[in-house]
Amino acid sequence: MTAPLSRSTLLAIRRERIAAALPLGEAILLVGAGEPIPLPENSDQTYPFRSHAEYFYLTAEECAGGVVAFDPQAAPDRRWISFVPAVTEAERIWEGRTQIEGEPLAHLPAWLEARRSRRMAALGAGVAGANSDPELNGRIREALRHARRPKDELELDAVRRAVTATACGFAQLRRALVPGVTERALQIELEAGFFRHGGQRTGYGTIVGSGPNAAVLHFEPTVRAVQSGEFVLVDAGAEVERYTADVTRTYVAGEPSAFQRDFYQAVLEAERRAITRCVVGAEWKAIHLAAAVDLTTALVELGLLRGSPQSLVEREAHTLFFPHGIGHMVGLGVRDASGLLPGRTRDPRPSLQSLRMDLPLAPGYLVTIEPGLYFIPALLNDPGRRARFAPDVNWERAGQYLSLGGVRIEDNILVTAEGPEVLTEAIPN
Ligand code: GLY
Ligand code: MN
Ligand code: MN
């Protein structure tokens, strides 16, 4: 049996894979972690520091001021160099920081001087004084984003731990979910569960929306008490070593109505079908459009839309109830390396404007699948939309449910050669 590879070996393998994927030619590359941002009131405090994701991916360090440099022409063991600032006495005293391993940042100017005639790309948060080439920066950033898409072993280990913490938080929230509990109290139970089981932060602001608030896509929990029979939409993820889960469950406090059951079932069915479509080679926009047709079919059956689902989707009528994309990449940040396949431009079709990516799926990609149906007053009461979709919607019926909120169900799917793996399936619906 061979011993597992160490973390630093796995990181070195990652950097070599990236080096081979970047069309630098003879150019050098700098990737900056960035600097802490002071709070606006001019105190000695800053927003919590996070290294730029491109820097973090290459170093796994939170290192304000750090710069990782790459020279494709250097000797193999000197191609990547991590330049790190010297820890200060104040940082040791106030924050307990220790020196991060690497080359002193003070050596960076000499490294640059020795390569003065070379083209340079600068990524991450940029590097002060670096004379980089904007066209090259764009091309290298696109290549790096694409090369980051398949998750490696280290990343999947962090994601799985984030998912475990997330599952514990959702289980704890569920036990607290009774009529009368506030959105805020649910958030506290959820996040306590995250932190007790290995979560280090939340990957984004926790969303808990009850009743009509469930129709606000990114609702911040309030002290509103959940009423019996209301939807409660919870969208949250624990983060571990910068890797986050992104999970949504929608519950009913007490007994759901027959309509709520059918409405919920429509989203759940659409989600299950979309997950089965997450196979190697599948085009993301096709997965989105197929889910839109599934949801629209259900909306017709529910008596909310009229007509052929396919043509309703072509004319974007579904966006009245499903106004967002089917999902995005997730992992190193809640949107991770979403975007376009290198060389593609944005698809101009209006029905695809809400999509966060346009690419074919490949092994190792980690994506969310998150269909939702909502009664959003800002959309359903908008005079322009009411005129445009006048014959397509049963407006009277839709009007009856304007304060019902909405349902979203979101899981995190690892694309593999053997098919989709639902990492978050242990979180019950
Ligand atoms: N948590 C925000 C989203 O689902 O994309
Ligand atoms: Mn989410
Ligand atoms: Mn999401």
Side-chain angles (χ1 to χ4, degrees), residues 204 207 218 235 245-248 324-330 334-335 356 367-370 408 410-412:
Y204 51 93
I207 296 162
H218 285 174
D235 181 345
D246 179 9
V247 175
T248 308
H324 56 75
I326 190 63
H328 49 84
M329 296 203 146
V330 65
V334 69
R335 303 276 177 254
R356 298 190 189 273
V367 298
T368 71
I369 286 289
E370 50 180 306
R408 178 165 67 251
E410 175 174 28
D411 282 283
N412 301 165

Coordinates of all heavy atoms in Angstrom, one line a residue, residues 204 207 218 235 245-248 324-330 334-335 356 367-370 408 410-412, ligand 3:
Y204 N -21.8 32.1 2.7 CA -22.5 33.3 2.3 C -23.5 33.6 3.3 O -23.7 32.8 4.3 CB -23.1 33.0 0.9 CG -24.0 31.8 0.8 CD1 -25.4 31.8 1.0 CD2 -23.4 30.6 0.5 CE1 -26.1 30.7 1.0 CE2 -24.2 29.4 0.4 CZ -25.5 29.5 0.7 OH -26.3 28.3 0.7
I207 N -29.8 32.4 4.3 CA -31.1 32.8 3.8 C -32.2 32.0 4.6 O -32.1 30.7 4.5 CB -31.3 32.6 2.3 CG1 -30.3 33.4 1.6 CG2 -32.7 32.8 1.8 CD1 -30.0 33.0 0.1
H218 N -32.8 36.1 -2.0 CA -31.7 36.1 -1.0 C -32.2 36.8 0.2 O -31.7 37.9 0.6 CB -30.5 36.8 -1.7 CG -29.8 35.9 -2.6 ND1 -28.7 36.4 -3.4 CD2 -30.0 34.6 -3.0 CE1 -28.3 35.4 -4.2 NE2 -29.0 34.3 -3.9
D235 N -31.6 28.6 2.7 CA -30.6 28.4 1.7 C -29.3 28.8 2.5 O -29.1 29.9 2.8 CB -30.8 29.3 0.6 CG -29.8 29.2 -0.5 OD1 -28.7 28.7 -0.3 OD2 -30.0 29.7 -1.6
A245 N -20.4 24.5 1.0 CA -21.6 23.9 0.4 C -22.6 25.0 0.1 O -22.5 26.1 0.6 CB -22.2 22.9 1.4
D246 N -23.7 24.7 -0.7 CA -24.7 25.6 -1.0 C -26.0 24.8 -1.2 O -26.2 24.3 -2.2 CB -24.3 26.4 -2.3 CG -25.4 27.4 -2.7 OD1 -26.3 27.6 -2.0 OD2 -25.2 27.9 -3.9
V247 N -26.8 24.8 -0.1 CA -27.9 23.9 0.0 C -29.2 24.7 0.3 O -29.2 25.6 1.1 CB -27.7 22.8 1.1 CG1 -28.9 21.9 1.3 CG2 -26.4 22.0 0.8
T248 N -30.3 24.3 -0.4 CA -31.6 24.9 -0.1 C -32.6 23.8 0.2 O -32.7 22.8 -0.5 CB -32.1 25.7 -1.2 OG1 -31.1 26.7 -1.6 CG2 -33.4 26.5 -0.8
H324 N -34.5 32.6 -12.0 CA -33.1 32.5 -12.0 C -32.6 31.3 -12.7 O -33.4 30.5 -13.3 CB -32.6 32.5 -10.5 CG -33.2 31.4 -9.7 ND1 -32.9 30.1 -9.8 CD2 -34.2 31.4 -8.7 CE1 -33.6 29.3 -8.9 NE2 -34.4 30.1 -8.3
G325 N -31.3 31.1 -12.7 CA -30.7 30.0 -13.5 C -30.8 28.7 -12.7 O -31.1 28.7 -11.5
I326 N -30.5 27.6 -13.3 CA -30.6 26.3 -12.7 C -29.5 26.1 -11.7 O -29.6 25.2 -10.8 CB -30.7 25.2 -13.7 CG1 -31.1 23.8 -13.1 CG2 -29.4 25.1 -14.5 CD1 -32.5 23.8 -12.5
G327 N -28.4 26.8 -11.7 CA -27.4 26.6 -10.7 C -26.1 27.2 -11.2 O -26.0 28.1 -12.1
H328 N -25.0 26.8 -10.6 CA -23.7 27.4 -10.8 C -22.6 26.4 -10.3 O -23.0 25.5 -9.6 CB -23.6 28.8 -10.1 CG -24.1 28.7 -8.7 ND1 -23.2 28.3 -7.7 CD2 -25.3 28.9 -8.2 CE1 -23.9 28.4 -6.5 NE2 -25.2 28.7 -6.8
M329 N -21.4 26.7 -10.5 CA -20.3 26.0 -9.8 C -20.2 26.4 -8.4 O -20.5 27.5 -8.0 CB -19.0 26.3 -10.5 CG -19.0 25.8 -11.9 SD -17.4 25.5 -12.6 CE -17.8 24.1 -13.6
V330 N -19.7 25.5 -7.6 CA -19.6 25.8 -6.1 C -18.4 25.1 -5.6 O -17.9 24.2 -6.2 CB -20.9 25.3 -5.4 CG1 -21.1 23.8 -5.4 CG2 -20.9 25.9 -4.0
V334 N -19.0 30.6 -3.3 CA -20.3 30.1 -3.6 C -20.6 30.1 -5.1 O -21.5 29.4 -5.6 CB -21.4 30.8 -2.8 CG1 -21.6 32.2 -3.2 CG2 -22.8 30.1 -2.9
R335 N -19.8 30.9 -5.9 CA -20.0 30.8 -7.3 C -18.8 30.1 -8.0 O -18.8 29.9 -9.2 CB -20.2 32.2 -7.9 CG -21.3 33.0 -7.4 CD -22.6 32.7 -8.0 NE -23.7 33.4 -7.4 CZ -24.6 32.8 -6.6 NH1 -24.5 31.6 -6.3 NH2 -25.5 33.6 -6.1
R356 N -25.5 31.6 -15.0 CA -24.2 32.0 -14.5 C -23.1 31.3 -15.2 O -21.9 31.5 -15.0 CB -24.1 31.7 -13.0 CG -25.1 32.5 -12.2 CD -24.8 32.4 -10.7 NE -25.9 33.0 -10.0 CZ -26.1 34.3 -9.7 NH1 -25.1 35.1 -10.0 NH2 -27.1 34.7 -9.0
V367 N -21.3 21.3 -9.2 CA -22.3 22.3 -9.5 C -23.5 22.2 -8.5 O -23.7 21.2 -7.9 CB -22.8 22.1 -11.0 CG1 -21.7 22.2 -12.0 CG2 -23.5 20.7 -11.1
T368 N -24.2 23.3 -8.5 CA -25.5 23.3 -7.8 C -26.6 23.0 -8.8 O -26.5 23.4 -10.0 CB -25.8 24.6 -7.0 OG1 -26.1 25.6 -8.0 CG2 -24.7 25.0 -6.1
I369 N -27.6 22.3 -8.4 CA -28.9 22.2 -9.1 C -29.9 22.8 -8.2 O -30.1 22.3 -7.1 CB -29.2 20.8 -9.6 CG1 -28.2 20.4 -10.7 CG2 -30.6 20.6 -10.0 CD1 -28.5 21.0 -12.1
E370 N -30.6 23.9 -8.6 CA -31.4 24.6 -7.7 C -32.7 25.2 -8.4 O -32.8 26.4 -8.4 CB -30.7 25.7 -7.0 CG -29.8 26.6 -7.8 CD -29.1 27.7 -7.0 OE1 -29.8 28.4 -6.2 OE2 -27.9 27.8 -7.1
R408 N -37.7 26.5 -3.3 CA -36.4 26.2 -4.0 C -35.8 24.9 -3.3 O -35.9 24.8 -2.1 CB -35.4 27.4 -3.9 CG -34.1 27.1 -4.6 CD -33.3 28.4 -4.9 NE -32.8 29.0 -3.7 CZ -33.2 30.2 -3.3 NH1 -34.2 30.8 -3.9 NH2 -32.7 30.8 -2.2
E410 N -32.1 22.8 -3.5 CA -30.8 22.9 -4.1 C -29.8 21.9 -3.5 O -29.8 21.7 -2.3 CB -30.2 24.3 -3.7 CG -28.8 24.6 -4.2 CD -28.3 26.0 -3.9 OE1 -28.9 26.7 -3.0 OE2 -27.5 26.5 -4.7
D411 N -29.2 21.2 -4.4 CA -28.2 20.2 -4.0 C -26.9 20.5 -4.7 O -26.8 21.2 -5.7 CB -28.7 18.8 -4.3 CG -29.7 18.3 -3.2 OD1 -29.2 18.0 -2.1 OD2 -30.9 18.4 -3.5
N412 N -25.8 19.8 -4.2 CA -24.5 20.0 -4.8 C -24.1 18.7 -5.5 O -24.1 17.6 -4.8 CB -23.5 20.4 -3.7 CG -23.9 21.7 -3.0 OD1 -23.3 22.0 -2.0 ND2 -24.8 22.4 -3.6
Ligands
MN3 MN -26.7 28.2 -5.3

